[in-house]
Amino acid sequence: MELRMLRAFVEVVRRGGFSEAAKAVFTTQSAVSKSVRQLENELGLTLLDRIGHRSTLTAAGEIVYRRALTILAERDDLLAELEEFRGLKRGRLRLGLPPIGSDALFAPLFAIYRSRYPGIEIQLVEHGSKRLEELVRDGEVDLGASLLPVPEEFEWQEVRLEPIDVLLPESHPLAAEEAIPLAHLRDMAFILFDAGFALNPIILDACRSQGFQPQVAARSSQINFIVELVAAGLGVGFLPRMIARQRVHDGVVHRAVVDPGMNWHMAFVWRRNAYLPHAARVWLELADEVFRKKALAAS
């Protein structure tokens, strides 16, 4: 069994087809198809159920796919560790960040990191926290920013703890309050983020603890659009306080929510017991240095 076969098979599954997989591995569609067929012949099992232009995993394919991800991640770890052993002054940081809060938290880090380590290439992907956890688990990124708590399979380093504020139209009767009990929002429509954003379960779990399931009026992946929907009177939104303060909008106010469980607790996560490249380790060191200084300055 050759690694190129596993790589071709994994990319077919990830990309949803042979033509897109061929682009990912820089070869032809026929070469990818041949590699997958060779893998199936060697294992004596059908891994993909080919229906027209679509391919779905068989039961055996699911097992091979899961194991292949681990094998390929270990291979990448091996190459990264050997590169550092050779003392090369270059490297790659594969970093996953969420759309919520990344501009405020991490933009200054990039400038400092680049000035200290100009030979390290940063490959950045942006997704919701749950998708980033999947990418870390599959070895596609070295570090991902997610919200605590995270599964035991990850190690983590804290970044920031912020309460979650509610966004209200300025004309709303509750807007005059400094702090609003979550239960007082039970009859209002909620505007939430799209599925895959870890902020949603925090809000929904807090609502369930207060004995209600909110009515969801809309979902979006864009903070500015959510603020605009609140301004238009469609419902109430929620943002970490640090971000709410930056999204000043005429006709919209943010207020504290009286619920100690509604916190935005961000951390960097990586695979437990996996090799962490030097580029990722120095990013964590820099993040710890910068965020500790900010915490001391705020205290």
Side-chain angles (χ1 to χ4, degrees), residues 186-205:
R186 67 168 62 238
D187 296 325
M188 300 180 192
F190 281 28
I191 304 167
L192 299 179
F193 284 91
D194 285 338
F197 284 73
L199 194 59
N200 289 346
I202 295 172
I203 297 167
L204 295 175
D205 287 347

Side-chain angles (χ1 to χ4, degrees), residues 166-234:
V166 60
L167 306 181
L168 297 155
E170 194 173 34
S171 59
H172 195 282
L174 290 177
E177 304 292 331
E178 288 298 321
I180 302 171
L182 183 61
H184 290 186
L185 303 173
R186 67 168 62 238
D187 296 325
M188 300 180 192
F190 281 28
I191 304 167
L192 299 179
F193 284 91
D194 285 338
F197 284 73
L199 194 59
N200 289 346
I202 295 172
I203 297 167
L204 295 175
D205 287 347
C207 291
R208 280 190 285 269
S209 74
Q210 294 297 314
F212 72 98
Q213 181 73 23
Q215 171 195 352
V216 179
R219 295 178 183 270
S220 175
S221 61
Q222 302 297 320
I223 295 176
N224 288 340
F225 189 50
I226 289 176
V227 176
E228 291 289 347
L229 292 177
V230 172
L234 186 65

Side-chain angles (χ1 to χ4, degrees), residues 3-4 10 32 72 80 95 119 147 149 156 168 173 183 201 214 217 225 236 240 251 256 264 267 276 284 293 296:
L3 287 175
R4 64 175 180 81
V10 163
V32 171
L72 293 173
L95 184 64
L147 296 186
W156 55 271
L168 297 155
F225 189 50
V236 299
W264 184 75
L276 197 60
L284 290 173
K293 285 182 179 178
L296 289 173

Side-chain angles (χ1 to χ4, degrees), residues 36 38 57 97 99 121 133 146 184 190 208 221 264 280-281 293:
V36 174
Q38 286 175 333
L57 283 170
L97 298 180
E121 174 193 359
E133 287 180 12
S146 189
H184 290 186
F190 281 28
R208 280 190 285 269
S221 61
W264 184 75
R281 294 198 302 271
K293 285 182 179 178

